[in-house]
């Protein structure tokens, strides 16, 4: 007997967390209670991420505009390899559960709709997906399958893996590493397949004397020539010199005008802002303007508009880290204050 796809009922907070959530449940079918749409309507106005997600989801639903969307027996197909989506009106609790929850709130309407779906399709697995711990507890008390929305955790894990851009290589012959450091070696010669553009490497030589510590050869893959070549570790910008291998590799990327976008990740104090600013100033002759930007995070739930002072005074506290780094560059490079 063929196994039927599951049915997942989505809570409002899942969509506010990720407006593309409906595309992350593989072949399983999805149900959006009307109560969820009613809640989303309250979040459409605003500049926060949840407001953006609410608007984008409502727009996506509006574009579908298909009668099957409002028929749980059919549902609207979400595409190849995915299930069907339907919007379900509110349903009351069955008589035996009417007295379980006294308050008429959206969470309880979502629960009652989930129970209705479960009773309508007894042959299929029905579950509620919500990021609300209390709602999951209530659902389990009603013998419902309830789980957190974890797809974003998988995405974060993939991003973390992609951020580990520096590959450490051991066991390669020293003469090959010498070639990489000097003239470069093709990825094919090293038998590397599908190398990402600008992939970073640390090649570690085998010491000839026991206990000898040799510095690694830092290199980068150039996709235009299919070559892995050593970088210049002595490169500096506006007097700022790298102090470790990671900073040297970052500086090499920053000072390459052929790379149009660079994302530096790392813990606080690792020099990301300092290197980026120094690199920008060093190459300022190539551009008309350098723009510095930082996210404006509300303080104590107060938007930036509520802060005292004019526009310059309002953004001043947010820009202090940039100003501090510029002061360091100015001091090291001995540039007159008016030039930066």
């Amino acid at each position: 007997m063929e196994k039927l796809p599951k049915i997942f009922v989505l809570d409002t907070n899942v969509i506010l967390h990720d407006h593309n959530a409906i595309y992350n449940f593989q072949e399983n079918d999805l149900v959006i209670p009307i109560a969820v749409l009613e809640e989303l309507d309250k979040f459409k106005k605003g500049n926060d991420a949840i407001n953006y997600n609410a608007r984008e989801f409502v727009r996506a639903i509006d574009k579908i505009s298909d009668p099957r969307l409002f028929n749980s027996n059919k549902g609207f197909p979400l595409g190849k390899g995915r299930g069907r989506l339907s919007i379900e009106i509110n349903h009351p609790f069955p008589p035996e559960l009417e007295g379980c929850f006294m308050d008429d709130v959206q969470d309880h309407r979502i629960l009652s709709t989930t129970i209705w779906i479960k009773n309508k399709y007894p042959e299929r697995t029905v579950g509620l997906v919500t990021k609300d711990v209390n709602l999951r507890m209530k659902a389990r008390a009603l013998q419902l399958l309830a789980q957190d929305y974890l797809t974003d955790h998988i995405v974060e894990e993939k991003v973390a893996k992609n951020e580990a851009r520096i590959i450490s290589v051991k066991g390669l012959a020293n003469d090959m590493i010498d070639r990489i450091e000097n003239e470069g070696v093709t990825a094919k010669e090293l038998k590397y397949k599908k190398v990402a553009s600008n992939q970073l490497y640390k090649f570690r030589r085998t010491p000839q004397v026991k206990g000898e510590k040799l510095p690694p050869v830092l290199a980068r893959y150039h996709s235009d020539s299919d070559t892995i070549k050593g970088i210049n570790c002595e490169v500096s910008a506006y007097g700022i010199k790298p102090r470790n291998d990671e900073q040297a590799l970052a500086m090499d990327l920053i000072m390459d005008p052929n790379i149009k976008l660079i994302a530096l990740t790392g813990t606080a104090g690792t020099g990301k802002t300092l290197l980026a600013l120094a690199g920008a100033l060093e190459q300022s002759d190539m551009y008309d303007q350098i723009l510095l930007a930082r996210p404006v995070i509300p303080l104590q739930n107060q938007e930036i508009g509520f802060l005292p002072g004019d526009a310059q005074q309002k953004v001043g506290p947010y820009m202090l880290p940039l100003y501090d780094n510029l002061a360091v560059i100015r001091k090291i490079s001995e540039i007159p204050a008016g030039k930066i």
Side-chain angles (χ1 to χ4, degrees):
M1 182 176 178
E2 185 180 356
K3 187 177 181 181
L4 296 172
K6 299 175 183 178
I7 301 176
F8 289 113
V9 180
L10 302 190
D11 187 13
T12 312
N13 50 48
V14 173
I15 295 165
L16 293 177
H17 186 78
D18 177 8
H19 68 272
N20 286 318
I22 58 176
Y23 299 106
N24 294 328
F25 288 86
Q26 291 79 43
E27 74 282 356
N28 300 303
D29 294 337
L30 303 176
V31 174
I32 307 290
I34 282 289
V36 168
L37 294 184
E38 292 175 351
E39 279 195 297
L40 287 176
D41 192 59
K42 301 174 184 177
F43 289 94
K44 289 191 298 184
K45 295 181 180 180
N47 298 318
D48 293 334
I50 59 173
N51 308 122
Y52 169 79
N53 286 330
R55 292 192 294 268
E56 287 299 301
F57 181 78
V58 171
R59 289 192 189 106
I61 293 296
D62 183 56
K63 287 180 181 178
I64 293 175
S65 188
D66 190 294
R68 290 174 293 178
L69 190 62
F70 302 93
N71 187 334
S72 61
N73 292 321
K74 295 182 179 179
F76 177 79
L78 292 172
K80 186 178 179 180
R82 298 190 177 100
R84 295 173 176 270
L85 174 68
S86 60
I87 295 175
E88 189 61 50
I89 61 173
N90 295 329
H91 294 279
F93 283 108
E96 66 273 16
L97 296 176
E98 283 182 352
C100 288
F101 302 107
M102 305 304 295
D103 296 329
D104 183 21
V105 295
Q106 300 292 47
D107 281 359
H108 296 166
R109 294 173 188 171
I110 293 170
L111 280 175
S112 62
T113 300
T114 305
I115 293 174
W116 185 88
I117 293 291
K118 180 182 178 182
N119 292 338
K120 183 177 181 180
Y121 302 99
E123 74 284 0
R124 299 175 66 178
T125 300
V126 176
L128 173 65
V129 182
T130 175
K131 298 192 73 63
D132 186 336
V133 177
N134 288 334
L135 185 55
R136 290 203 298 271
M137 296 282 285
K138 292 179 181 179
R140 289 164 185 161
L142 297 174
Q143 306 301 310
L144 290 173
L145 173 67
Q147 64 185 56
D148 193 0
Y149 177 67
L150 300 175
T151 302
D152 61 317
H153 296 183
I154 298 172
V155 172
E156 289 171 3
E157 182 181 341
K158 290 180 179 178
V159 170
K161 288 182 179 179
N162 288 336
E163 288 174 352
R165 300 299 297 170
I166 304 174
I167 297 177
S168 184
V169 180
K170 297 180 181 179
L172 198 63
N174 286 353
D175 58 345
M176 181 66 76
I177 296 178
D178 291 338
R179 286 183 54 201
I180 292 172
E181 184 177 23
N182 298 316
E183 68 265 18
V185 174
T186 64
K188 184 178 180 181
E189 191 173 354
L190 292 173
K191 297 182 180 180
Y192 291 170
K193 297 179 180 179
K194 296 182 179 179
V195 183
S197 182
N198 296 309
Q199 175 64 63
L200 304 175
Y201 292 92
K202 281 186 183 182
F203 291 97
R204 301 187 181 276
R205 291 188 176 94
T206 303
Q208 302 301 310
V209 179
K210 188 176 180 179
E212 183 183 16
K213 291 185 178 180
L214 300 174
V217 170
L218 307 180
R220 174 159 61 98
Y221 174 69
H222 300 264
S223 56
D224 54 347
S225 59
D226 189 37
T227 303
I228 299 175
K229 189 177 186 307
I231 69 166
N232 178 13
C233 296
E234 300 301 322
V235 66
S236 64
Y238 253 59
I240 302 299
K241 297 180 180 179
R243 292 192 174 185
N244 55 43
D245 296 341
E246 287 72 22
Q247 288 187 0
L249 289 165
M251 184 69 82
D252 179 69
L253 293 170
I254 291 170
M255 295 302 293
D256 187 343
N258 295 316
I259 301 177
K260 304 304 180 184
L261 177 64
I262 299 169
L264 300 179
T265 61
T267 56
T270 51
K272 303 182 297 296
T273 302
L274 183 64
L275 293 177
L277 289 175
L281 292 169
E282 185 69 29
Q283 301 172 85
S284 59
D285 292 342
M286 300 169 56
Y287 304 98
D288 296 328
Q289 192 176 18
I290 297 174
L291 301 178
L292 308 181
R294 282 180 62 83
V296 176
I297 303 173
L299 302 174
Q300 297 180 348
N301 295 323
Q302 293 292 322
E303 297 292 339
I304 191 171
F306 287 94
L307 297 177
D310 56 20
Q312 188 69 27
Q313 293 170 322
K314 289 176 186 291
V315 301
Y318 298 97
M319 302 300 288
L320 278 177
L322 296 176
Y323 297 152
D324 290 343
N325 280 280
L326 286 173
V328 171
I329 294 172
R330 187 168 60 208
K331 182 178 179 180
I332 292 176
S333 58
E334 297 181 354
I335 296 174
K339 194 168 181 179
I340 296 185

